[in-house]
């Protein structure tokens, strides 16, 4: 059987010996039909699949709003020890959305110099930086201790032992109308440099900040906050 | 085409006497029609669907010499899945996937609902059973060399099934919403978040936000209850099709010698 297709393809279906082709036709009716039906099918699928996908992925790109929560008077918080306070980090889920925060006044002897006005009070998160269990401050040892896998942090929240990959997270603090307020979370590396909030188990030293990039879902840092 | 089912072996005295030629002219008496009602219904469906061919192809297969009890592990895993599906659907009748109501609804199922403790227990322990059976089935496949050509694709499908089964365990663990399940889920999501580059975004997707929030439980419930079971059922179908299509392997200790009579018959 001779090859019915010619070496150089003509744009006209008649030249290509497509059965039933008309004079001057470049797309056969069969091919036109197939393509338009496939296009319509694709559009119909996209019409429900894309919104569904966006619906499921939406929260990844939804930025959380900054909330400031009052936790007490400036006089409540000494420099040398922590005072536990309970704040809400997720609304609408009752007790599950609350977390304990350890608050104290900035201590010149222990802490690096204040970076900005959000550094007057140190609010340490109780989320362990190994895998997220709740740590407790043990007064006698001056350490934060995690019950799950033995993570230990010193008085400033830096890792003193165990599996955690970075110091405990902190919260921005400010004083408004004579009250101490706790705001958005931020993460710190081993030199207490500030980063946008990362999940536990995500290292922030060396290539860490590149391996675990900032997310779209966390709060923006408050106005004027420095790194 | 009429279905021919094998007749059960009966003593001659009990067998109905054959009709004489010309008697009744092939008409069925009501008693006979009643006794054949089942076959009539099956015939009616088969005439319109040809499903009997597929059923026969699936169920009456030749199996190699030496097939033994280890070959039932896959079916056992499938029955564990069926048990999980049925008890899960029943549990969904009482379960409330909200952060404020989940714990109370599980307590209600366990303590108040008739047989609730049993059904929840079956679902809880059955999940462990399913994982164990899947692994033992996988070990059987591995040690018998049943993953080799031409069955590699079925091994791949099986591995996906195993991963989906483990994901079922992970997402189901949160649903009782007690202290253990809450913290275990936090830890699990953070482990998954420790993978570079995509980890942080994956965690946000799983949690529906930067923190464990109001929609996290509902999301886990939907994944546990709709998305993964659907994928599991579909892939079990593919897995079974490939088993029927390719046949099972003989155990490795079975020699390849062919029966002399059979060899003659094939020539």
């Amino acid at each position: 059987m001779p090859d019915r297709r010619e070496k150089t393809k003509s744009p006209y279906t008649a030249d290509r010996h497509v059965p039933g082709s008309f004079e001057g036709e470049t797309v056969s009716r069969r091919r036109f039909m197939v393509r338009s039906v496939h296009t319509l099918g694709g559009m119909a699928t996209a019409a429900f699949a894309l919104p569904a996908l966006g619906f499921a992925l939406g929260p990844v790109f939804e930025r959380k709003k900054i909330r400031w929560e009052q936790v007490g008077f400036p006089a409540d918080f000494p420099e040398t020890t922590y005072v536990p306070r309970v704040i809400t980090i997720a609304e609408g889920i009752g007790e599950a959305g609350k977390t304990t925060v350890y608050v104290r006044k900035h201590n010149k002897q222990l802490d690096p110099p204040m970076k900005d006005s959000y550094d007057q009070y140190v609010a340490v998160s109780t989320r362990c930086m190994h895998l997220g269990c709740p740590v407790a401050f043990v007064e006698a040892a001056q350490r934060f201790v995690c019950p799950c896998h033995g993570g230990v942090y010193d008085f400033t929240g830096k890792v003193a032992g165990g599996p955690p990959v970075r110091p405990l997270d902190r919260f921005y603090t400010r004083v408004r109308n004579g009250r101490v307020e706790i705001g958005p979370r931020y993460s710190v590396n081993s030199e207490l440099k500030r980063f946008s909030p990362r999940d536990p188990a995500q290292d922030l030293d060396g290539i860490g900040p590149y391996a675990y990039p900032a997310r779209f879902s966390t709060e923006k840092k408050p106005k004027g906050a420095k790194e | 085409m009429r279905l021919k089912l094998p007749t059960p072996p009966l003593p001659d005295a009990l067998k109905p006497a054959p009709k004489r030629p010309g008697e009744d002219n092939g008409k069925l008496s009501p008693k006979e029609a009643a006794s054949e009602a089942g076959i009539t219904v099956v015939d009616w469906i088969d005439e319109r669907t040809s499903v009997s061919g597929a059923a026969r192809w699936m169920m009456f297969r030749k199996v190699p010499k030496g097939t033994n009890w280890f070959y039932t592990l896959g079916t056992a895993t499938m029955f564990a899945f069926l048990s999980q599906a049925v008890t899960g659907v029943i549990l969904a009748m009482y379960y409330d996937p909200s952060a404020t109501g989940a714990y109370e609804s599980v307590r209600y199922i366990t303590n108040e609902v008739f047989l609730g403790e049993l059904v929840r227990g079956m679902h809880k322990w059955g999940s462990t059973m399913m994982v164990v059976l899947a692994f033992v089935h996988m070990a059987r496949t591995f040690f018998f060399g049943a993953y080799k050509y031409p069955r590699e694709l079925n091994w791949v499908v099986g591995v996906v099934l195993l991963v989906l089964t483990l994901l079922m365990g992970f997402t189901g663990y949160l649903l009782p919403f007690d202290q253990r399940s809450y913290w275990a889920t936090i830890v699990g999501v953070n482990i998954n978040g420790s993978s570079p580059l995509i980890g942080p975004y994956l965690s946000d997707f799983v949690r529906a936000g930067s923190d464990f929030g109001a929609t996290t439980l509902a999301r886990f419930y939907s994944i546990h209850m709709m998305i993964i079971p659907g994928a599991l059922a579909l892939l079990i179908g593919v897995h079974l099709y490939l088993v029927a299509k390719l046949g099972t392997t003989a155990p490795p200790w079975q020699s390849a010698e062919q029966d002399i009579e059979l060899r003659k018959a094939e020539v």
Side-chain angles (χ1 to χ4, degrees):
Chain A
M1 197 174 145
D3 192 3
R4 279 164 48 164
R5 296 204 169 185
E6 285 164 24
K7 291 276 166 4
T8 49
K9 274 185 185 169
S10 162
Y12 298 105
T13 51
D15 296 347
R16 283 187 271 130
H17 306 296
V18 174
S21 52
F22 285 109
E23 178 86 40
E25 188 185 63
T26 52
V27 177
S28 72
R29 297 181 301 293
R30 174 187 296 261
R31 179 163 288 182
F32 176 76
M33 194 65 197
V34 165
R35 277 184 189 168
S36 36
V37 167
H38 283 181
T39 310
L40 281 175
M43 280 161 68
T45 311
F48 68 78
L50 291 181
L53 193 70
F55 189 80
L57 292 178
V60 177
F61 302 99
E62 208 170 320
R63 212 172 262 297
K64 203 173 162 186
K65 274 186 191 151
I66 294 183
R67 291 176 71 254
W68 291 93
E69 192 168 331
Q70 288 185 355
V71 289
F73 297 100
D76 295 348
F77 305 106
E79 283 183 15
T80 48
T81 189
Y82 285 97
V83 179
R85 285 286 186 267
V86 175
I87 63 163
T88 302
I89 49 169
E91 282 172 87
I93 56 171
E95 295 295 312
K98 291 178 183 170
T99 186
T100 305
V101 177
Y102 284 104
V103 191
R104 66 173 165 87
K105 204 167 191 296
H106 183 270
N107 186 325
K108 274 178 204 161
Q109 271 86 48
L110 293 169
D111 294 320
M114 266 190 234
K115 287 170 178 142
D116 48 37
S117 63
Y118 299 108
D119 228 1
Q120 288 170 285
Y121 292 86
V122 177
V124 177
S125 157
T126 50
R127 182 180 289 173
C128 182
M129 286 304 129
H130 174 221
L131 288 171
C133 287
V135 299
F137 182 66
V138 180
E139 186 81 51
Q142 298 284 297
R143 294 258 192 288
F144 293 90
V145 180
C146 179
C148 289
H149 313 105
V152 181
Y153 306 83
D154 69 10
F155 185 74
T156 55
K158 285 183 182 172
V159 181
V165 295
R166 61 170 205 256
L168 289 168
D169 279 354
R170 296 182 174 199
F171 292 87
Y172 291 105
T173 56
R174 70 180 186 188
V175 181
R176 280 282 186 286
N177 307 321
R179 304 283 171 91
V180 177
E181 291 183 346
I182 292 188
R185 171 190 294 274
Y186 64 89
S187 296
V188 289
N189 69 2
S190 60
E191 285 146 9
L192 297 182
K193 194 186 161 200
R194 285 171 177 169
F195 288 88
S196 88
R198 304 297 208 280
D199 276 330
Q202 300 179 0
D203 197 354
L204 282 175
D205 291 315
I207 61 158
Y210 304 102
Y212 304 110
R215 293 169 290 160
F216 308 107
S217 59
T218 53
E219 302 103 323
K220 278 185 182 157
K221 59 182 176 186
K223 266 177 210 160
K226 295 195 179 89
E227 283 212 328
Chain B
M1 187 194 72
R2 294 215 126 211
L3 264 186
K4 271 189 187 164
L5 293 182
T7 46
L10 280 174
D12 285 347
L14 288 176
K15 281 181 186 163
K19 281 182 186 134
R20 289 178 174 285
E23 192 185 337
D24 281 352
N25 281 332
K27 269 190 182 173
L28 292 176
S29 71
K31 192 183 154 200
E32 282 170 328
S35 75
E36 289 195 2
I39 261 182
T40 313
V41 170
V42 172
D43 264 342
W44 190 90
I45 293 171
D46 190 42
E47 208 175 328
R48 283 150 185 83
T49 57
S50 299
V51 80
S52 72
R56 233 191 315 249
W57 176 81
M58 189 76 206
M59 297 171 81
F60 302 103
R61 303 193 305 271
K62 285 178 179 153
V63 293
K65 212 185 235 180
T67 296
N68 55 54
W69 279 100
F70 288 112
Y71 288 73
T72 60
L73 286 164
T75 313
T77 316
M78 191 183 72
F79 270 87
F81 171 74
L82 291 178
S83 150
Q84 291 305 96
V86 170
T87 52
V89 167
I90 305 292
L91 284 170
M93 292 179 177
Y94 292 96
Y95 181 69
D96 168 17
S98 72
T100 46
Y103 180 78
E104 173 56 26
S105 72
V106 173
R107 193 203 60 74
Y108 181 75
I109 290 170
T110 316
N111 297 340
E112 315 279 338
V113 180
F114 178 63
L115 291 183
E117 200 177 1
L118 178 72
V119 173
R120 192 191 154 203
M122 280 162 71
H123 199 72
K124 182 190 167 175
W125 296 105
S127 66
T128 307
M129 205 62 221
M130 186 174 164
V131 173
V132 170
L133 283 171
F135 271 111
V136 180
H137 171 57
M138 194 179 190
R140 198 284 297 173
T141 310
F142 179 75
F143 288 121
F144 281 24
Y147 56 86
K148 292 177 189 171
Y149 176 85
R151 299 183 182 81
E152 303 98 321
L153 183 60
N154 220 12
W155 174 271
V156 171
V157 173
V159 168
V160 177
L161 280 170
L162 179 70
V163 171
L164 289 177
T165 306
L166 297 179
L167 279 176
M168 281 301 270
F170 177 66
T171 50
Y173 206 79
L174 175 66
L175 302 186
F177 214 59
D178 49 21
Q179 287 288 331
R180 184 206 298 250
S181 58
Y182 176 82
W183 290 108
T185 302
I186 298 256
V187 166
V189 171
N190 285 330
I191 290 173
N192 129 73
S194 67
S195 66
L197 300 178
I198 53 161
Y201 307 108
L202 211 55
S203 295
D204 276 10
F205 169 71
V206 171
R207 272 186 313 231
S210 59
D211 281 304
F212 192 105
T215 48
T216 309
L217 181 60
R219 183 165 284 239
F220 268 64
Y221 184 57
S222 133
I223 294 173
H224 183 77
M225 156 101 186
M226 314 265 182
I227 299 172
I228 301 181
L232 268 176
L234 195 78
L235 285 175
I236 287 175
V238 174
H239 204 65
L240 283 178
Y241 167 77
L242 285 175
V243 166
K245 172 88 183 158
L246 303 169
T248 50
T249 44
W253 55 77
Q254 195 72 33
S255 63
E257 272 177 58
Q258 211 180 16
D259 190 62
I260 297 164
E261 293 297 316
L262 199 65
R263 198 183 294 160
K264 271 183 201 163
E266 272 182 10
V267 171

